[in-house]
Amino acid sequence: MRVFVAGATGAIGRQLLPRLAAAGHEVHGMTRSASKQELIRQLGAVPVVADALNREQVSAAVADARPDVIVHQLTAIGPVNPRRFERGFALTNRLRTEGTDNLLAAAHAVGVRRFVAQSFAPLYTRTGGGLKTEEDPLDPAPARELRGTLAALRHLEKVVLAAEWTEGIVLRYGAFYGPGTALATGAEQLEMIRKRKFPLVGDGGAVYSFVHVADAADATVAAIENGSRGVYNIVDDDPAPVAEWLPELARMIGAKKPMRVPRFVARLFAGEVGVVMMTELRGASNAKAKRELGWRPAHPSWRQGFAAV
Ligand SMILES: NC(=O)c1ccc[n+]([C@@H]2O[C@H](COP(=O)([O-])OP(=O)(O)OC[C@H]3O[C@@H](n4cnc5c(N)ncnc54)[C@H](OP(=O)(O)O)[C@@H]3O)[C@@H](O)[C@H]2O)c1
Protein backbone atom coordinates (compact mmCIF):
# COMPACT_ATOMS: atom_id res chain seq x y z
CA MET A 1 0.00 0.00 0.00
CA ARG A 2 1.00 3.63 -0.29
CA VAL A 3 1.15 5.01 3.26
CA PHE A 4 1.44 8.72 4.07
CA VAL A 5 2.86 9.42 7.55
CA ALA A 6 2.36 12.89 9.04
CA GLY A 7 4.81 13.20 11.91
CA ALA A 8 7.41 11.03 10.16
CA THR A 9 10.43 12.35 12.06
CA GLY A 10 9.11 12.10 15.64
CA ALA A 11 9.64 9.48 18.35
CA ILE A 12 6.98 7.19 16.88
CA GLY A 13 7.50 8.18 13.22
CA ARG A 14 11.17 7.17 13.30
CA GLN A 15 10.16 3.68 14.45
CA LEU A 16 7.24 3.43 12.08
CA LEU A 17 8.84 4.38 8.74
CA PRO A 18 11.44 1.57 8.57
CA ARG A 19 8.87 -1.00 9.69
CA LEU A 20 6.42 0.03 6.97
CA ALA A 21 9.17 0.03 4.34
CA ALA A 22 10.37 -3.41 5.48
CA ALA A 23 6.79 -4.70 5.18
CA GLY A 24 6.86 -3.69 1.49
CA HIS A 25 4.77 -0.51 1.64
CA GLU A 26 5.58 2.63 -0.32
CA VAL A 27 5.96 5.21 2.43
CA HIS A 28 5.69 8.99 2.18
CA GLY A 29 6.91 10.90 5.25
CA MET A 30 5.87 14.48 5.99
CA THR A 31 8.03 17.11 7.72
CA ARG A 32 8.00 20.90 8.03
CA SER A 33 11.75 21.10 7.47
CA ALA A 34 13.52 20.69 4.16
CA SER A 35 16.60 19.80 6.25
CA LYS A 36 14.91 16.59 7.54
CA GLN A 37 14.30 15.14 4.08
CA GLU A 38 17.52 13.13 4.16
CA LEU A 39 16.53 11.60 7.52
CA ILE A 40 13.22 10.52 6.02
CA ARG A 41 15.01 8.96 3.03
CA GLN A 42 17.30 7.08 5.42
CA LEU A 43 14.25 5.78 7.24
CA GLY A 44 13.05 4.27 3.95
CA ALA A 45 10.44 6.82 2.86
CA VAL A 46 9.87 9.50 0.25
CA PRO A 47 10.12 12.93 1.96
CA VAL A 48 7.29 15.45 1.64
CA VAL A 49 7.68 19.00 2.98
CA ALA A 50 4.45 20.57 4.29
CA ASP A 51 3.15 22.38 7.35
CA ALA A 52 0.25 20.45 8.87
CA LEU A 53 -1.45 23.72 9.82
CA ASN A 54 -1.46 24.92 6.22
CA ARG A 55 -4.43 23.34 4.48
CA GLU A 56 -3.24 24.03 0.92
CA GLN A 57 0.18 22.54 1.58
CA VAL A 58 -1.32 19.42 3.15
CA SER A 59 -3.80 18.97 0.30
CA ALA A 60 -1.07 19.33 -2.31
CA ALA A 61 1.24 16.90 -0.47
CA VAL A 62 -1.48 14.26 -0.12
CA ALA A 63 -2.75 14.75 -3.68
CA ASP A 64 0.80 14.20 -4.90
CA ALA A 65 1.37 11.02 -2.89
CA ARG A 66 -2.14 9.58 -3.53
CA PRO A 67 -1.92 7.29 -0.49
CA ASP A 68 -4.13 4.35 0.40
CA VAL A 69 -3.62 5.08 4.09
CA ILE A 70 -2.83 8.22 6.10
CA VAL A 71 -1.24 8.01 9.54
CA HIS A 72 -1.49 11.05 11.83
CA GLN A 73 1.34 11.18 14.39
CA LEU A 74 1.60 14.97 14.70
CA THR A 75 2.48 16.46 18.09
CA ALA A 76 4.69 19.34 19.23
CA ILE A 77 5.08 18.66 22.92
CA GLY A 78 8.60 19.57 24.02
CA PRO A 79 9.42 20.03 27.73
CA VAL A 80 6.23 20.44 29.76
CA ASN A 81 5.77 22.40 32.98
CA PRO A 82 2.71 20.80 34.62
CA ARG A 83 1.69 24.18 36.07
CA ARG A 84 1.57 25.59 32.53
CA PHE A 85 0.27 22.47 30.84
CA GLU A 86 -2.10 24.26 28.48
CA ARG A 87 0.68 26.49 27.21
CA GLY A 88 2.97 23.49 26.61
CA PHE A 89 0.25 21.70 24.68
CA ALA A 90 -1.20 24.64 22.73
CA LEU A 91 0.49 23.73 19.44
CA THR A 92 -0.19 20.01 19.89
CA ASN A 93 -3.86 20.86 20.48
CA ARG A 94 -3.92 22.75 17.19
CA LEU A 95 -2.28 19.81 15.42
CA ARG A 96 -4.99 17.55 16.90
CA THR A 97 -7.82 19.84 15.79
CA GLU A 98 -6.87 21.93 12.72
CA GLY A 99 -4.12 19.48 11.75
CA THR A 100 -6.56 16.55 11.86
CA ASP A 101 -9.17 18.48 9.88
CA ASN A 102 -6.59 19.38 7.23
CA LEU A 103 -5.39 15.80 6.87
CA LEU A 104 -8.94 14.44 6.76
CA ALA A 105 -9.99 16.92 4.07
CA ALA A 106 -6.94 15.97 2.00
CA ALA A 107 -7.61 12.28 2.62
CA HIS A 108 -11.24 12.62 1.53
CA ALA A 109 -10.21 14.37 -1.68
CA VAL A 110 -8.07 11.40 -2.76
CA GLY A 111 -10.28 8.73 -1.13
CA VAL A 112 -7.97 7.00 1.33
CA ARG A 113 -8.96 3.56 2.56
CA ARG A 114 -7.81 3.99 6.16
CA PHE A 115 -7.02 6.95 8.38
CA VAL A 116 -5.06 6.06 11.52
CA ALA A 117 -4.57 8.71 14.21
CA GLN A 118 -2.70 8.99 17.49
CA SER A 119 -4.57 9.49 20.76
CA PHE A 120 -3.60 8.94 24.41
CA ALA A 121 -4.68 6.14 26.80
CA PRO A 122 -3.80 7.64 30.21
CA LEU A 123 -6.60 10.21 30.09
CA TYR A 124 -9.56 7.93 30.77
CA THR A 125 -12.13 8.81 33.43
CA ARG A 126 -10.51 8.74 36.89
CA THR A 127 -13.45 7.02 38.56
CA GLY A 128 -13.95 3.30 39.07
CA GLY A 129 -11.39 0.57 39.50
CA GLY A 130 -9.86 -1.92 37.13
CA LEU A 131 -8.36 -1.35 33.72
CA LYS A 132 -10.09 0.96 31.26
CA THR A 133 -11.25 -0.48 27.96
CA GLU A 134 -11.99 1.37 24.73
CA GLU A 135 -15.64 1.56 25.87
CA ASP A 136 -14.82 3.69 28.90
CA PRO A 137 -15.14 7.47 28.57
CA LEU A 138 -12.20 9.85 28.48
CA ASP A 139 -11.96 12.04 31.60
CA PRO A 140 -15.27 13.97 31.69
CA ALA A 141 -14.04 16.42 34.35
CA PRO A 142 -10.35 17.04 33.73
CA ALA A 143 -8.16 19.34 35.82
CA ARG A 144 -8.38 22.90 34.44
CA GLU A 145 -4.93 22.78 32.79
CA LEU A 146 -5.89 19.56 30.99
CA ARG A 147 -9.16 20.81 29.48
CA GLY A 148 -7.65 21.94 26.18
CA THR A 149 -5.79 18.66 25.78
CA LEU A 150 -8.93 16.61 26.41
CA ALA A 151 -10.99 18.80 24.08
CA ALA A 152 -8.43 18.40 21.30
CA LEU A 153 -8.23 14.61 21.75
CA ARG A 154 -12.04 14.39 21.75
CA HIS A 155 -12.17 16.39 18.53
CA LEU A 156 -9.57 14.19 16.87
CA GLU A 157 -11.29 10.98 17.91
CA LYS A 158 -14.76 12.19 16.96
CA VAL A 159 -13.93 13.37 13.45
CA VAL A 160 -11.75 10.37 12.64
CA LEU A 161 -14.35 7.86 13.80
CA ALA A 162 -17.19 9.76 12.11
CA ALA A 163 -15.61 9.80 8.64
CA GLU A 164 -17.87 7.38 6.80
CA TRP A 165 -15.89 7.45 3.56
CA THR A 166 -12.85 5.80 5.18
CA GLU A 167 -11.93 3.36 7.95
CA GLY A 168 -11.11 5.72 10.81
CA ILE A 169 -8.87 4.18 13.45
CA VAL A 170 -7.81 5.80 16.73
CA LEU A 171 -4.80 4.40 18.57
CA ARG A 172 -4.74 5.38 22.24
CA TYR A 173 -1.09 4.83 23.02
CA GLY A 174 0.17 4.34 26.57
CA ALA A 175 2.95 6.48 27.99
CA PHE A 176 5.89 6.17 25.59
CA TYR A 177 9.37 5.19 26.64
CA GLY A 178 12.40 4.23 24.60
CA PRO A 179 14.50 6.00 21.97
CA GLY A 180 13.46 9.57 21.18
CA THR A 181 11.06 9.82 24.14
CA ALA A 182 11.32 11.68 27.45
CA LEU A 183 12.08 8.33 29.10
CA ALA A 184 15.33 7.47 27.33
CA THR A 185 18.94 7.69 28.43
CA GLY A 186 19.83 11.36 28.84
CA ALA A 187 16.24 12.51 28.23
CA GLU A 188 14.28 14.97 30.32
CA GLN A 189 12.25 12.77 32.67
CA LEU A 190 14.99 10.25 33.31
CA GLU A 191 17.38 13.06 34.21
CA MET A 192 14.79 14.49 36.61
CA ILE A 193 14.56 11.10 38.31
CA ARG A 194 18.36 10.92 38.45
CA LYS A 195 18.48 14.36 40.10
CA ARG A 196 15.66 13.46 42.56
CA LYS A 197 13.46 16.12 41.02
CA PHE A 198 10.68 13.64 40.24
CA PRO A 199 9.04 12.98 43.62
CA LEU A 200 6.50 10.42 44.66
CA VAL A 201 3.30 12.37 45.35
CA GLY A 202 0.83 11.22 48.01
CA ASP A 203 0.28 7.48 47.72
CA GLY A 204 1.72 7.41 44.17
CA GLY A 205 -1.50 5.66 43.22
CA ALA A 206 -1.77 6.79 39.55
CA VAL A 207 -1.66 3.63 37.42
CA TYR A 208 0.51 3.94 34.31
CA SER A 209 0.11 1.90 31.19
CA PHE A 210 3.40 2.23 29.36
CA VAL A 211 4.38 1.17 25.87
CA HIS A 212 7.82 0.97 24.27
CA VAL A 213 7.81 3.14 21.11
CA ALA A 214 9.00 0.17 19.04
CA ASP A 215 5.98 -1.84 20.24
CA ALA A 216 3.71 1.13 19.54
CA ALA A 217 5.09 1.20 16.00
CA ASP A 218 4.47 -2.55 15.55
CA ALA A 219 0.88 -2.09 16.67
CA THR A 220 0.49 0.83 14.27
CA VAL A 221 1.67 -1.30 11.34
CA ALA A 222 -0.89 -3.94 12.37
CA ALA A 223 -3.64 -1.30 12.49
CA ILE A 224 -2.60 0.11 9.09
CA GLU A 225 -2.76 -3.36 7.55
CA ASN A 226 -5.67 -4.99 9.41
CA GLY A 227 -7.44 -2.52 11.69
CA SER A 228 -11.18 -1.84 11.58
CA ARG A 229 -12.98 1.41 12.31
CA GLY A 230 -12.74 2.09 16.04
CA VAL A 231 -10.45 2.68 18.98
CA TYR A 232 -7.59 0.49 20.20
CA ASN A 233 -5.59 0.86 23.41
CA ILE A 234 -1.93 0.28 22.60
CA VAL A 235 -0.40 -0.36 26.00
CA ASP A 236 1.77 -3.04 27.61
CA ASP A 237 0.58 -5.99 29.72
CA ASP A 238 1.70 -4.62 33.06
CA PRO A 239 -0.03 -1.44 34.26
CA ALA A 240 1.63 -0.29 37.48
CA PRO A 241 1.19 2.48 40.05
CA VAL A 242 3.77 5.25 40.26
CA ALA A 243 4.62 3.96 43.75
CA GLU A 244 5.91 0.80 42.06
CA TRP A 245 7.56 1.90 38.83
CA LEU A 246 9.16 5.16 39.92
CA PRO A 247 11.34 3.73 42.75
CA GLU A 248 12.19 0.75 40.51
CA LEU A 249 13.27 3.01 37.66
CA ALA A 250 15.34 5.15 40.07
CA ARG A 251 17.03 1.98 41.30
CA MET A 252 17.74 0.81 37.73
CA ILE A 253 19.57 4.03 36.84
CA GLY A 254 21.47 4.11 40.14
CA ALA A 255 19.61 7.18 41.47
CA LYS A 256 18.62 7.72 45.09
CA LYS A 257 15.06 6.81 46.09
CA PRO A 258 12.56 9.44 44.92
CA MET A 259 11.53 11.98 47.56
CA ARG A 260 8.00 11.71 48.93
CA VAL A 261 5.80 14.79 49.05
CA PRO A 262 2.21 15.19 50.21
CA ARG A 263 -0.43 16.16 47.65
CA PHE A 264 -0.83 19.71 48.94
CA VAL A 265 2.90 20.41 48.54
CA ALA A 266 2.91 18.88 45.05
CA ARG A 267 -0.07 21.05 44.14
CA LEU A 268 2.00 24.17 44.89
CA PHE A 269 4.91 23.07 42.71
CA ALA A 270 3.29 20.99 39.98
CA GLY A 271 -0.31 22.23 40.02
CA GLU A 272 -3.44 20.10 39.90
CA VAL A 273 -2.23 18.36 36.73
CA GLY A 274 0.93 17.20 38.51
CA VAL A 275 -1.12 15.76 41.36
CA VAL A 276 -3.56 14.02 38.98
CA MET A 277 -0.69 12.53 36.97
CA MET A 278 0.91 11.11 40.09
CA THR A 279 -2.12 9.94 42.03
CA GLU A 280 -5.25 9.49 39.92
CA LEU A 281 -4.60 8.10 36.41
CA ARG A 282 -6.05 4.72 35.55
CA GLY A 283 -4.41 1.93 33.59
CA ALA A 284 -5.77 0.59 30.31
CA SER A 285 -6.42 -2.87 28.86
CA ASN A 286 -4.76 -4.05 25.64
CA ALA A 287 -7.10 -7.04 25.19
CA LYS A 288 -8.81 -5.61 22.09
CA ALA A 289 -5.56 -4.81 20.25
CA LYS A 290 -4.26 -8.29 21.00
CA ARG A 291 -7.48 -9.94 19.93
CA GLU A 292 -8.21 -7.94 16.79
CA LEU A 293 -4.81 -6.83 15.56
CA GLY A 294 -2.92 -9.96 16.60
CA TRP A 295 -0.40 -7.62 18.22
CA ARG A 296 1.86 -8.71 21.08
CA PRO A 297 4.26 -6.21 22.64
CA ALA A 298 7.88 -7.40 22.48
CA HIS A 299 8.27 -5.63 25.84
CA PRO A 300 5.20 -6.94 27.70
CA SER A 301 6.24 -5.25 30.93
CA TRP A 302 7.89 -1.90 31.60
CA ARG A 303 10.18 -3.85 33.95
CA GLN A 304 12.05 -5.59 31.11
CA GLY A 305 11.44 -2.65 28.78
CA PHE A 306 13.04 -0.04 31.05
CA ALA A 307 15.96 -2.36 31.69
CA ALA A 308 16.45 -2.83 27.94
CA VAL A 309 16.38 0.93 27.34
N1 LIG B 1 1.84 8.48 24.17
C1 LIG B 1 2.85 9.20 24.61
O1 LIG B 1 3.40 8.99 25.70
C2 LIG B 1 3.39 10.32 23.75
C3 LIG B 1 2.76 10.74 22.60
C4 LIG B 1 3.33 11.76 21.84
C5 LIG B 1 4.52 12.33 22.24
N2 LIG B 1 5.10 11.89 23.39
C6 LIG B 1 6.40 12.42 23.84
O2 LIG B 1 6.57 13.75 23.52
C7 LIG B 1 7.95 14.02 23.28
C8 LIG B 1 8.25 14.70 21.97
O3 LIG B 1 7.18 14.87 21.28
P1 LIG B 1 7.08 15.92 20.14
O4 LIG B 1 5.70 16.40 20.19
O5 LIG B 1 8.23 16.85 20.08
O6 LIG B 1 7.07 14.93 18.99
P2 LIG B 1 8.13 14.30 18.11
O7 LIG B 1 8.36 12.94 18.62
O8 LIG B 1 9.26 15.21 17.87
O9 LIG B 1 7.21 14.22 16.78
C9 LIG B 1 6.45 15.28 16.29
C10 LIG B 1 6.25 15.06 14.83
O10 LIG B 1 5.24 15.96 14.41
C11 LIG B 1 5.75 16.72 13.32
N3 LIG B 1 5.18 18.06 13.32
C12 LIG B 1 4.97 18.87 14.39
N4 LIG B 1 4.39 20.02 13.98
C13 LIG B 1 4.22 19.93 12.64
C14 LIG B 1 3.66 20.78 11.65
N5 LIG B 1 3.16 21.99 11.94
N6 LIG B 1 3.65 20.35 10.39
C15 LIG B 1 4.15 19.15 10.05
N7 LIG B 1 4.70 18.30 10.94
C16 LIG B 1 4.73 18.69 12.21
C17 LIG B 1 7.23 16.76 13.47
O11 LIG B 1 7.79 16.93 12.20
P3 LIG B 1 9.01 17.92 11.86
O12 LIG B 1 9.60 18.39 13.17
O13 LIG B 1 9.92 17.06 11.07
O14 LIG B 1 8.39 19.00 11.07
C18 LIG B 1 7.50 15.37 14.04
O15 LIG B 1 7.63 14.43 13.00
C19 LIG B 1 8.63 12.71 23.27
O16 LIG B 1 9.21 12.56 24.53
C20 LIG B 1 7.51 11.73 23.10
O17 LIG B 1 7.84 10.51 23.68
C21 LIG B 1 4.57 10.91 24.13
Side-chain angles (χ1 to χ4, degrees):
M1 291 187 292
R2 270 204 293 278
V3 184
F4 184 98
V5 181
T9 61
I12 178 84
R14 286 177 198 225
Q15 299 282 336
L16 186 57
L17 264 50
R19 283 173 168 75
L20 287 169
H25 301 298
E26 180 186 314
V27 191
H28 297 252
M30 189 172 109
T31 175
R32 277 161 300 182
S33 323
S35 62
K36 291 192 190 166
Q37 291 179 99
E38 189 45 38
L39 166 68
I40 291 174
R41 272 191 210 100
Q42 283 167 12
L43 292 167
V46 180
V48 184
V49 180
D51 182 340
L53 297 174
N54 182 316
R55 187 170 277 224
E56 286 73 38
Q57 285 182 18
V58 173
S59 297
V62 171
D64 227 30
R66 299 202 71 78
D68 302 298
V69 181
I70 289 188
V71 188
H72 174 357
Q73 300 286 3
L74 298 164
T75 54
I77 300 170
V80 176
N81 171 354
R83 285 174 61 88
R84 304 270 178 275
F85 205 82
E86 290 285 51
R87 199 182 294 172
F89 268 74
L91 193 50
T92 296
N93 292 345
R94 285 188 64 199
L95 291 167
R96 286 174 170 160
T97 51
E98 293 163 54
T100 306
D101 294 347
N102 290 346
L103 277 173
L104 271 176
H108 198 180
V110 299
V112 308
R113 240 196 286 165
R114 282 202 179 97
F115 190 99
V116 180
Q118 173 184 149
S119 185
F120 194 50
L123 294 179
Y124 276 109
T125 177
R126 288 170 284 144
T127 54
L131 297 181
K132 300 302 177 192
T133 72
E134 291 80 356
E135 305 298 316
D136 282 298
L138 295 181
D139 193 344
R144 185 146 53 90
E145 284 287 314
L146 270 174
R147 282 183 201 157
T149 296
L150 257 304
L153 287 172
R154 276 185 217 290
H155 175 89
L156 175 147
E157 294 198 352
K158 189 173 125 210
V159 293
V160 169
L161 297 171
E164 282 168 7
W165 44 269
T166 191
E167 195 132 39
I169 296 174
V170 167
L171 301 179
R172 291 184 183 150
Y173 296 123
F176 284 161
Y177 68 93
T181 74
L183 276 179
T185 309
E188 190 196 338
Q189 282 175 21
L190 212 59
E191 288 315 299
M192 284 175 70
I193 295 169
R194 196 186 303 284
K195 293 176 186 152
R196 283 192 107 200
K197 289 182 177 170
F198 200 124
L200 203 56
V201 176
D203 64 354
V207 176
Y208 272 62
S209 279
F210 285 103
V211 68
H212 190 296
V213 273
D215 288 332
D218 283 339
T220 309
V221 174
I224 289 167
E225 293 177 343
N226 300 313
S228 310
R229 184 196 309 274
V231 180
Y232 296 87
N233 290 333
I234 307 298
V235 297
D236 77 7
D237 293 347
D238 191 15
V242 182
E244 206 176 315
W245 65 259
L246 182 57
E248 178 60 10
L249 181 53
R251 190 194 62 75
M252 282 180 189
I253 63 173
K256 286 190 184 152
K257 273 192 186 164
M259 280 192 283
R260 296 193 86 106
V261 302
R263 289 170 69 113
F264 79 92
V265 174
R267 191 168 285 117
L268 294 176
F269 291 98
E272 187 60 21
V273 172
V275 173
V276 165
M277 297 274 190
M278 298 297 278
T279 63
E280 295 183 10
L281 300 187
R282 298 297 200 268
S285 162
N286 62 12
K288 182 183 176 194
K290 283 181 156 177
R291 192 173 61 239
E292 294 189 14
L293 300 177
W295 169 72
R296 296 284 178 281
H299 308 85
S301 166
W302 53 273
R303 287 177 193 278
Q304 307 112 303
F306 285 0
V309 168

